[in-house]
């Protein structure tokens, strides 16, 4: 196989890792505003949700940085065209990811309702924005964009908001919401688990309809190859299974089904692109795995690095999930150990002499 | 301002923000690992309390370091797409390696460390923080290799057909003499930063507790912190000086214009003086500069170990570069190959000046804590807090000098003509075509405001947790790893 093809597949694998793992992180973040009931138990339920992904969200996010770095190394023209072309959507995604990172780590540091309310806003917005915009971005790549002869994107910002792309955004948002709900069903216990299961059962049929509509549209209108119908079929079967499993509350199966759906989505997206990486309206200007790639030497070096390191990453990330495999319920959540901004705890009562 | 100026401001602002937090993470993670190792080996609770205390500060800092770092991975493509096309074949490799070899390790094992206090056996839990510390330093190596390649390209050739730099030797890129000097310089500076941080906070608390009459905690917990911080600070300081000297010597060879600007050296001179203080209009007219205080021959000595060596001045280099590279501006005149003289001259001096700042704390601490002593001298506590800022400032000025001293190049030409002919690019040709000034202005404002707000929150959190101090030992009992799967036991840590 050509090394350019190997790297096309490897980047698809990195995006698969990102969307499957960060997908439920986004889902949990988006559900933070929807799932917990109103009332005194709300804070505790939110902490249950956040802590189901507490030890792993950071590692999950690195799949994105690696996908970005790998694209830069293997297909620099693609990296340059894509990120300068989709400048504003990417800016929004980055701003969302920034506030999300600090909100995770800083939320519990101060024991104050207003502080936590701000952190929750950051987590919710920081999850919704990328969940929608990654779908919009990928749909536009599948659909093709306006590139000039220098491979510069000249379509402007508003052209990115076409119906197909917006449906793509809705699809990823729904997929992540459902994925997050079934993940919570698998990782939490008690009230959160029940509510997540009920919500997952209600979300799954909607996701099935929207995702199937987008997938068929993508396949019929934009796919370069016929075999990607297989990915559409797998996604459809997985989505039907997801609906069935959420209705009967088979949590493990539901999670596998939503994960398989996301894998199938990546296969459909990348499969329908190949051998392009960024098709242009005028196909003479399209970026392909050949004209966008690095040299054979660079690809060879990077292949060795990836072949050695990727299995290790999977191994220790898998181990992390094993270490933190236990379900989390409200009973497991310790009292807040955050401080207040008012005055140091140790100084209460003592005076400096 | 045009897209070029805005993109330069944006990259400068976001990078300087990022590098406020980075040195502390790089230096503090091994220090926390050392503290935890001391606890695991000796069983002495003081080290556990210090591990927890500085661990909290590390995590507050780590979060914003990650947040400001995400942007950098994409900013090359967003704002500098033409640069990315030109260098991607070489520059992308260390970036991708950094993500695969370091980011994954630090993010995953930090999660294990934060949440694993009672889930992992003691030694495995300790190994997690060491993994974080090593990976943090490893990631610095890869990104510095990438940056060093821009300062001094190696292991690549210019391909006329594709119009880009193409890598032919990854070994040369990863063992670039520039990175072999820049890495120890950056790492030891990070150790000074973290050492000063730990010693400064320890000093402030020690004085406070002695004055309050709590001699036991002052002696037992904070004095060891001061001593540990001081050792790291001193070892790091020596490393900074040695590696800085090596780096300056390289720079005279690899980027003579940068050093000539740093010294405001106009004409080619034998036995060049080292200027300590200069006045006059430095902005790119070095004949206007009056050197007030100078040390004879020192610059020549720093460059070559010879007080009488001849060094090239700005004027001669400009003439040489005009001939060699022939870039012209929109009027057809040759461009200026000089970096901004004010920034390089003062950036260099402020770096060294602030770098020496923490030495005052080290010397005072060395004397005041000798032979198990503690002190109640209030000025010492104040000095401790004040000294914390100096390595941060020195790091910022050092990077501003390094990066702005490279202008007008984004990939500076390698003066040694062997092998890398044609691999150079001026910054003006590296900027993106698509987003335009409006797009970049939007992101510049957005990043600056958001980072500004986050930096304020970061400062308040760091301050609040610092003045809280170590928790009493009864609040931080030795964590026990338990694998009994007791269903109702609360988590040892939860967000």
């Amino acid at each position: 196989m050509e090394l350019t093809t190997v790297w096309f597949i490897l980047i698809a694998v990195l995006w698969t890792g990102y969307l499957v793992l960060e997908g439920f992180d986004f889902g949990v973040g988006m559900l933070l505003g929807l799932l917990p009931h109103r009332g005194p138990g709300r804070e505790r339920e939110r902490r249950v949700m956040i802590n189901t992904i507490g030890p792993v969200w950071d590692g999950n996010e690195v799949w994105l940085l690696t996908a970005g770095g790998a694209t830069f190394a293997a297909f620099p023209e693609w990296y340059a065209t894509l990120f300068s072309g989709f400048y504003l959507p990417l800016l929004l995604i980055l701003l969302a990811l920034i506030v999300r990172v600090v909100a995770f780590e800083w939320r519990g540091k101060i024991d104050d309702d207003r502080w936590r309310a701000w952190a929750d806003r950051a987590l919710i917005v920081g999850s919704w924005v990328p969940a929608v915009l990654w779908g919009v971005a990928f749909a536009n790549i599948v659909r093709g964009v306006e590139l000039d002869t220098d491979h510069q994107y000249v379509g402007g910002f508003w052209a990115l908001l076409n119906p197909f792309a917006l449906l793509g955004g809705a699809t990823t948002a729904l997929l992540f919401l459902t994925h997050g709900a079934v993940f919570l069903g698998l990782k939490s216990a008690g009230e959160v688990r029940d509510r997540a299961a009920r919500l997952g059962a209600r979300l799954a049929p909607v996701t099935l309809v929207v995702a199937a509509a987008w997938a068929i549209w993508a396949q019929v209108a934009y796919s370069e190859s016929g075999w990607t119908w297989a990915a559409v079929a797998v996604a459809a079967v997985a989505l039907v299974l997801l609906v069935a499993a959420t209705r009967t509350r088979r949590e493990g199966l539901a999670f596998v089904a939503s994960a398989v759906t996301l894998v199938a989505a990546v296969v459909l997206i990348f499969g329908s692109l190949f051998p392009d990486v960024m098709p242009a309206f005028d196909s003479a200007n399209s970026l392909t795995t050949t004209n966008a790639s690095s040299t054979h030497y660079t690809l060879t070096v990077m292949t060795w690095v990836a072949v050695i390191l990727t299995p290790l990453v999977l191994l220790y990330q898998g181990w992390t999930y094993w270490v933190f495999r236990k379900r989390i319920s409200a009973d497991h959540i310790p009292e807040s150990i955050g401080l207040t901004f008012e005055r140091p705890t140790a100084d209460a009562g003592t005076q400096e002499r | 301002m045009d897209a070029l100026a805005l993109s330069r401001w944006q990259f400068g602002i976001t990078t300087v923000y990022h590098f406020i937090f980075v040195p502390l993470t790089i230096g503090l993670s091994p220090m926390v690992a050392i503290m935890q190792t001391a606890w695991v080996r000796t069983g002495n609770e003081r080290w556990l309390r210090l591990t927890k205390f500085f661990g909290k500060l590390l995590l507050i800092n780590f979060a914003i370091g990650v947040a400001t770092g995400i942007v950098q991975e994409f900013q090359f493509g967003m704002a500098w797409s033409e640069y990315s096309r030109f260098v991607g074949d070489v520059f992308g490799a260390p970036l991708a390696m950094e993500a695969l070899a370091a980011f994954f390790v630090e993010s995953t094992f930090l999660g294990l460390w934060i949440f694993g206090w009672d889930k992992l056996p003691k030694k495995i839990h300790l190994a997690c923080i060491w993994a974080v510390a090593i990976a943090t330093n490893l990631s610095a190596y890869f990104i510095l290799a990438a940056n060093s390649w821009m300062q001094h390209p190696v292991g690549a050739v210019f391909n006329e057909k594709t119009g880009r730099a193409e890598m032919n030797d990854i070994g040369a890129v990863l063992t670039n003499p520039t990175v072999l000097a820049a890495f120890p310089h950056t790492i030891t500076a990070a150790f000074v930063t973290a050492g000063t941080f730990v010693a400064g906070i320890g000093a402030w608390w020690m004085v406070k507790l002695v004055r309050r009459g709590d001699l036991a905690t002052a002696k037992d917990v904070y004095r060891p912190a001061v001593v540990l911080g001081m050792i790291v600070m001193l070892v790091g300081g020596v490393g900074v000086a040695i590696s800085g000297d090596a780096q300056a010597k390289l720079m005279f060879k690899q980027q003579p214009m940068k050093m000539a600007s740093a010294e405001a050296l106009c004409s080619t001179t034998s036995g060049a003086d080292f200027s300590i203080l200069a006045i006059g209009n430095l902005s790119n007219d070095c004949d206007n500069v009056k050197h007030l205080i100078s040390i004879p021959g020192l610059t020549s000595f720093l460059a070559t170990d010879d007080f009488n060596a001849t060094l090239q001045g700005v004027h001669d280099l400009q003439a040489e570069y005009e001939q060699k590279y022939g870039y012209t501006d929109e009027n057809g005149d040759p461009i200026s190959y000089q970096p901004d003289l004010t920034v390089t001259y003062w950036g260099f001096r402020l770096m060294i000046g602030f770098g020496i700042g923490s030495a005052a704390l080290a010397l005072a601490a060395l004397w005041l804590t000798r032979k198990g002593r503690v002190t109640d001298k209030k000025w010492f506590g104040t000095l401790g807090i004040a000294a914390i800022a100096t390595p941060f400032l020195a790091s910022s000025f050092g990077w501003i000098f390094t990066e702005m001293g490279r202008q007008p190049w984004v990939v500076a030409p390698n003066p040694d003509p062997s092998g890398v002919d044609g691999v150079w690019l001026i910054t003006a040709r590296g900027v993106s075509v698509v987003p335009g000034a409006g797009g970049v202005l939007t992101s510049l404002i957005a990043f600056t405001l958001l980072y500004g707000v986050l930096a304020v929150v970061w400062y308040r959190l760091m301050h609040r947790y610092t003045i809280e101090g170590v928790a009493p030992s009864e609040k931080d009992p030795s964590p026990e790893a338990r694998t009994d799967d007791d269903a109702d036991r609360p988590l040892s840590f939860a967000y």
Side-chain angles (χ1 to χ4, degrees):
Chain A
M1 205 190 309
E2 291 285 327
L3 275 184
T4 49
T5 310
V6 170
W7 272 89
F8 183 79
I9 295 170
L10 249 164
I11 286 168
V13 169
L14 292 171
W15 277 105
T16 308
Y18 178 63
L19 296 177
V20 169
L21 296 173
E22 190 92 313
F24 57 72
D25 294 348
F26 287 145
V28 170
M30 293 153 89
L31 290 169
L32 213 53
L34 303 171
L35 196 64
H37 65 58
R38 310 211 164 261
R42 189 177 174 83
E43 162 61 10
R44 205 159 265 256
E45 287 187 5
R46 285 193 162 175
R47 287 184 70 194
V48 169
M49 294 171 70
I50 293 169
N51 282 290
T52 57
I53 52 173
V56 293
W57 66 268
D58 195 3
N60 295 346
E61 190 166 270
V62 172
W63 287 86
L64 170 67
L65 298 183
T66 310
T71 312
F72 199 173
F75 300 104
E77 288 278 341
W78 186 15
Y79 173 83
T81 301
L82 175 63
F83 292 132
S84 66
F86 293 8
Y87 193 87
L88 289 179
L90 193 67
L91 169 66
L92 291 174
I93 289 175
L94 291 176
L95 295 174
L97 293 180
I98 290 171
V99 296
R100 186 169 157 275
V101 169
V102 291
F104 269 118
E105 215 66 69
W106 290 354
R107 185 183 188 278
K109 290 282 178 263
I110 298 296
D111 190 10
D112 175 79
D113 287 338
R114 271 180 53 213
W115 173 272
R116 278 188 289 262
W118 275 107
D120 290 342
R121 274 175 215 132
L123 285 175
I124 292 165
V125 174
S127 302
W128 273 98
V129 169
V132 173
L133 288 185
W134 284 129
V136 172
F138 271 113
N140 273 303
I141 296 174
V142 169
R143 180 174 177 263
V145 287
E146 198 175 343
L147 301 182
D148 66 11
T149 47
D150 293 331
H151 302 308
Q152 301 285 2
Y153 172 72
V154 287
F157 173 67
W158 299 107
L160 297 175
L161 304 181
N162 54 76
F164 178 70
L166 293 175
L167 188 65
T171 304
T172 47
L174 277 165
L175 282 173
F176 293 157
L177 264 178
T178 318
H179 195 42
V182 299
F183 174 80
L184 282 173
L186 202 61
K187 278 292 294 175
S188 63
E191 182 75 357
V192 174
R193 179 183 178 185
D194 292 338
R195 299 167 69 86
R198 282 199 298 274
L199 192 65
R202 271 187 292 163
L203 278 168
V206 188
T207 309
L208 166 65
V209 173
V210 174
W214 184 83
I216 291 168
W217 189 350
Q219 174 64 36
V220 172
Y222 305 116
S223 180
E224 306 241 329
S225 35
W227 67 265
T228 42
W229 273 111
V232 179
V234 170
V237 172
L239 281 163
V240 170
L241 212 59
L242 177 68
V243 173
T246 48
R247 288 180 82 94
T248 53
R249 285 197 66 168
R250 273 175 294 179
E251 288 155 337
L253 184 64
F255 182 75
V256 171
S258 66
V260 169
T261 310
L262 285 165
V263 176
V266 177
V267 173
L268 171 63
I269 290 169
F270 280 77
S272 63
L273 287 177
F274 190 80
D276 288 344
V277 291
M278 211 164 163
F281 290 157
D282 177 354
S283 63
N285 299 340
S286 290
L287 283 172
T288 67
T289 51
T290 343
N291 71 13
S293 86
S294 287
T295 53
H296 187 77
Y297 176 78
T298 298
L299 292 178
T300 311
V301 169
M302 292 313 299
T303 305
W304 279 107
V305 174
V307 162
I308 294 167
L309 290 176
T310 316
L312 280 174
V313 171
L314 288 170
L315 214 62
Y316 60 70
Q317 284 209 335
W319 178 61
T320 310
Y321 279 91
W322 174 252
V323 169
F324 299 108
R325 66 192 177 281
K326 244 173 68 176
R327 284 177 183 276
I328 295 174
S329 74
D331 297 335
H332 296 120
I333 300 298
E335 290 303 313
S336 169
I337 51 160
L339 307 174
T340 58
F341 274 128
E342 269 84 61
R343 61 173 176 175
T345 321
D347 277 358
T350 54
Q351 282 289 317
E352 196 169 326
R353 274 177 236 166
Chain B
M1 274 196 273
D2 57 355
L4 174 64
L6 290 165
S7 300
R8 284 187 61 197
W9 273 106
Q10 172 169 285
F11 203 95
I13 289 171
T14 50
T15 314
V16 168
Y17 259 122
H18 184 50
F19 211 73
I20 293 173
F21 313 111
V22 167
L24 189 57
T25 297
I26 292 176
L28 197 53
S29 45
M31 287 189 73
V32 170
I34 290 169
M35 294 172 192
Q36 189 171 341
T37 309
W39 170 63
V40 170
R41 295 192 63 134
T42 65
N44 189 324
E45 296 274 330
R46 84 159 64 110
W47 293 114
L48 177 66
R49 293 167 73 189
L50 284 171
T51 304
K52 292 271 182 96
F53 175 54
F54 284 106
K56 277 178 209 153
L57 295 171
L58 173 66
L59 293 180
I60 294 169
N61 190 64
F62 197 93
I64 192 165
V66 171
T68 52
I70 298 172
V71 174
Q72 305 301 354
E73 187 85 19
F74 298 96
Q75 199 176 171
F76 301 110
M78 289 171 78
W80 302 97
S81 60
E82 301 321 294
Y83 160 81
S84 302
R85 287 179 217 276
F86 182 73
V87 302
D89 196 70
V90 195
F91 191 83
L95 241 61
M97 289 181 194
E98 181 188 24
L100 267 168
F103 289 165
F104 268 125
V105 176
E106 56 181 333
S107 59
T108 308
F109 285 91
L110 191 70
L112 281 158
W113 186 71
I114 300 172
F115 288 84
W117 281 94
D118 64 344
K119 290 235 166 21
L120 296 168
K122 236 183 208 176
K123 287 197 174 150
I124 302 220
H125 184 254
L126 175 64
C128 289
I129 189 71
W130 275 111
V132 174
I134 292 165
T136 316
N137 282 268
L138 190 63
S139 86
Y141 184 80
F142 284 118
I143 196 65
L144 286 171
N147 178 276
S148 297
W149 188 84
M150 298 163 72
Q151 313 276 355
H152 179 247
V154 288
V157 286
F158 178 70
N159 182 336
E160 288 201 20
K161 247 180 28 210
T162 56
R164 63 183 188 184
E166 295 184 346
M167 184 158 75
N168 59 14
D169 188 352
I170 181 73
V173 172
L174 294 177
T175 57
N176 191 343
T178 320
V179 69
L180 296 183
F183 177 68
H185 194 60
T186 313
I187 291 302
T188 48
F191 288 166
V192 173
T193 308
T196 312
F197 183 80
V198 171
I201 289 174
W204 184 79
W205 262 106
M206 183 173 78
V207 170
K208 186 181 162 93
L209 287 184
V210 172
R211 294 175 78 84
R212 197 190 272 168
D214 184 358
L215 267 175
T217 314
K219 267 198 158 142
D220 199 52
V221 182
Y222 288 111
R223 190 185 166 278
V226 177
V227 172
L228 173 64
M230 203 173 56
I231 294 170
V232 172
M233 199 195 306
L234 287 173
V235 172
V238 172
V240 169
I242 294 173
S243 59
D245 180 58
Q247 222 181 352
K249 286 190 173 46
L250 269 184
M251 216 178 275
F252 273 109
K253 274 190 250 158
Q254 296 175 348
Q255 294 172 287
M257 186 63 110
K258 187 189 279 187
M259 281 319 278
S261 307
E263 300 303 340
L265 187 70
C266 294
S267 318
T268 301
T269 314
S270 299
D273 299 351
F274 184 86
S275 161
I276 293 179
L277 186 65
I279 53 162
N281 181 9
L282 278 163
S283 28
N284 285 9
D285 179 8
C286 77
D287 292 323
N288 250 331
V289 180
K290 295 201 173 26
H291 294 279
L292 290 186
I293 311 173
S294 300
I295 304 175
L298 185 60
T299 294
S300 284
F301 181 75
L302 286 179
T304 59
D305 282 339
D306 172 7
F307 281 101
N308 294 315
T310 306
L311 298 179
Q312 283 178 289
V314 168
H315 292 320
D316 306 282
L317 287 165
Q318 171 73 26
E320 184 188 323
Y321 288 2
E322 278 177 17
Q323 268 232 303
K324 200 162 166 190
Y325 305 111
Y327 284 103
T328 49
D329 60 16
E330 60 269 26
N331 304 324
D333 298 325
I335 64 164
S336 165
Y337 294 91
Q338 294 171 31
D340 188 296
L341 281 187
T342 319
V343 171
T344 43
Y345 181 88
W346 284 111
F348 192 62
R349 272 143 200 81
L350 289 168
M351 168 185 75
I352 295 173
F354 280 117
I356 296 169
S358 52
L361 174 67
L363 292 177
L366 208 57
W367 178 250
L368 292 171
T369 61
R370 68 191 186 281
K371 295 181 191 155
R373 272 170 233 227
V374 290
T375 176
D376 66 348
K377 293 195 170 50
K378 216 162 184 176
W379 64 264
F380 182 58
T382 315
L383 175 68
I385 294 301
I388 291 174
T390 57
F392 287 94
L393 290 165
S395 298
S396 292
F397 284 118
W399 270 111
I400 289 170
F401 162 64
T402 305
E403 295 297 283
M404 290 190 66
R406 173 165 43 78
Q407 297 304 329
W409 304 100
V410 63
V411 180
N414 186 335
D416 180 0
S418 58
V420 281
D421 274 355
V423 179
W424 59 68
L425 189 72
I426 57 170
T427 312
R429 303 273 169 94
V431 72
S432 287
V433 179
V434 178
V440 182
L441 184 64
T442 311
S443 57
L444 171 61
I445 293 171
F447 285 134
T448 309
L449 289 181
L450 181 60
Y451 281 12
V453 170
L454 293 180
V456 170
V457 178
W458 167 82
Y459 179 79
R460 289 197 68 189
L461 281 173
M462 295 295 271
H463 177 256
R464 181 62 190 86
Y465 271 81
T466 300
I467 60 171
E468 180 70 13
V470 296
S473 49
E474 63 270 17
K475 273 188 86 179
D476 257 337
S478 299
E480 289 301 320
R482 291 199 281 185
T483 42
D484 52 354
D485 264 333
D486 172 7
D488 295 325
R489 186 163 47 86
L491 300 167
S492 64
F493 176 85
Y495 277 135

